[in-house]
Amino acid sequence: MDDFQIPIPIRFRITGRQRSIIEHVGRYRLTTLEVLGRVILPGTSRNALSKIVNRLCLAGLLVKYPLVHPTHYFVLGQAAAHLFGAGEHRAVPLGPQSLPIEYAVLVYATLSQQPRIRQTTAEILARWPWLPVGLTNSPHCFDERNQVLELVRVDLGGPADYVARKCAADVTCRRQFAEFAPLVAQQRFRLVVVTATPEKAVAVQQALDRHDWPVGLLMHLSIVPRLLTLLASHPHA
């Protein structure tokens, strides 16, 4: 699969590793030093990573915001957002719902034992053109090793039954398309739920088990512990 790419004018004097960081943030909506050190610049010290991203912030290509003290997250700056054609809203802090969602998807995709690739709308429609654009707005990842499209739903702290009902609705609205059934039957579609604790994962699994699902539907529950702290910091999520 081609890398997610945005054009960077020569006047910014962007190095290859800086370009990789900007393209990574464009794809995943945000990033952290931990993620950069794992997937973009492995082996780079935290101090060196800080210097690299700080230079990008000074150039207006990235913006830094607090995540959970003392950790920060980075989004596209206005200069990069303009180049990307994404609008200046990509440079503002993420809201109380979007921040835990985007962070959870980032961690799930990049820090799991088997990394995934978050999909852009264009990538989704190129592989699965029958999906309406509205459904591509939900976070999707691609399991490249197994060629599986993943729909990622992030648990924002609601009751397990509520999370399961939202998942059922996700699947129901896709079942109206004839192309969805063979995708599921061939085990090339996975429903992923990201939650904060093992206990909540068990509760969500039990709630999911009370619903009827298409034969062959793959499911996976992923635990992102920091999500709990993030939700506590943003109680309206």
Side-chain angles (χ1 to χ4, degrees), residues 66 144 170 178 210:
E144 202 162 26
D170 288 335
R210 291 192 284 271

PDB file of all heavy atoms in Angstrom, residues 66 144 170 178 210:
ATOM      1  N   PRO A  66      -1.505  19.409  25.526  1.00  0.00           N
ATOM      2  CA  PRO A  66      -1.383  18.443  26.629  1.00  0.00           C
ATOM      3  C   PRO A  66      -2.319  17.256  26.447  1.00  0.00           C
ATOM      4  O   PRO A  66      -3.466  17.410  26.046  1.00  0.00           O
ATOM      5  CB  PRO A  66      -1.768  19.276  27.861  1.00  0.00           C
ATOM      6  CG  PRO A  66      -2.582  20.415  27.334  1.00  0.00           C
ATOM      7  CD  PRO A  66      -2.049  20.708  25.967  1.00  0.00           C
ATOM      8  N   GLU A 144      -2.760  -5.603   7.259  1.00  0.00           N
ATOM      9  CA  GLU A 144      -2.145  -5.911   5.976  1.00  0.00           C
ATOM     10  C   GLU A 144      -1.744  -7.381   5.879  1.00  0.00           C
ATOM     11  O   GLU A 144      -1.838  -7.995   4.812  1.00  0.00           O
ATOM     12  CB  GLU A 144      -0.923  -5.014   5.751  1.00  0.00           C
ATOM     13  CG  GLU A 144      -0.515  -4.864   4.312  1.00  0.00           C
ATOM     14  CD  GLU A 144       0.378  -3.658   4.101  1.00  0.00           C
ATOM     15  OE1 GLU A 144       1.069  -3.246   5.047  1.00  0.00           O
ATOM     16  OE2 GLU A 144       0.379  -3.140   2.973  1.00  0.00           O
ATOM     17  N   ASP A 170     -23.474  -0.555  13.969  1.00  0.00           N
ATOM     18  CA  ASP A 170     -22.411  -0.428  12.963  1.00  0.00           C
ATOM     19  C   ASP A 170     -22.526  -1.538  11.921  1.00  0.00           C
ATOM     20  O   ASP A 170     -22.383  -1.300  10.714  1.00  0.00           O
ATOM     21  CB  ASP A 170     -21.034  -0.513  13.631  1.00  0.00           C
ATOM     22  CG  ASP A 170     -20.690   0.730  14.438  1.00  0.00           C
ATOM     23  OD1 ASP A 170     -21.231   1.803  14.126  1.00  0.00           O
ATOM     24  OD2 ASP A 170     -19.869   0.608  15.368  1.00  0.00           O
ATOM     25  N   ALA A 178     -24.880  -5.522  -0.443  1.00  0.00           N
ATOM     26  CA  ALA A 178     -24.661  -6.916  -0.818  1.00  0.00           C
ATOM     27  C   ALA A 178     -23.191  -7.313  -0.708  1.00  0.00           C
ATOM     28  O   ALA A 178     -22.876  -8.474  -0.423  1.00  0.00           O
ATOM     29  CB  ALA A 178     -25.164  -7.145  -2.249  1.00  0.00           C
ATOM     30  N   ARG A 210     -24.666 -11.365  23.475  1.00  0.00           N
ATOM     31  CA  ARG A 210     -26.128 -11.379  23.528  1.00  0.00           C
ATOM     32  C   ARG A 210     -26.764 -10.915  22.220  1.00  0.00           C
ATOM     33  O   ARG A 210     -27.998 -10.877  22.110  1.00  0.00           O
ATOM     34  CB  ARG A 210     -26.611 -10.518  24.699  1.00  0.00           C
ATOM     35  CG  ARG A 210     -26.286 -11.124  26.068  1.00  0.00           C
ATOM     36  CD  ARG A 210     -27.027 -10.420  27.191  1.00  0.00           C
ATOM     37  NE  ARG A 210     -26.439  -9.135  27.513  1.00  0.00           N
ATOM     38  CZ  ARG A 210     -25.463  -8.949  28.409  1.00  0.00           C
ATOM     39  NH1 ARG A 210     -24.970  -9.985  29.068  1.00  0.00           N
ATOM     40  NH2 ARG A 210     -24.993  -7.740  28.663  1.00  0.00           N
TER      41      ARG A 210
END
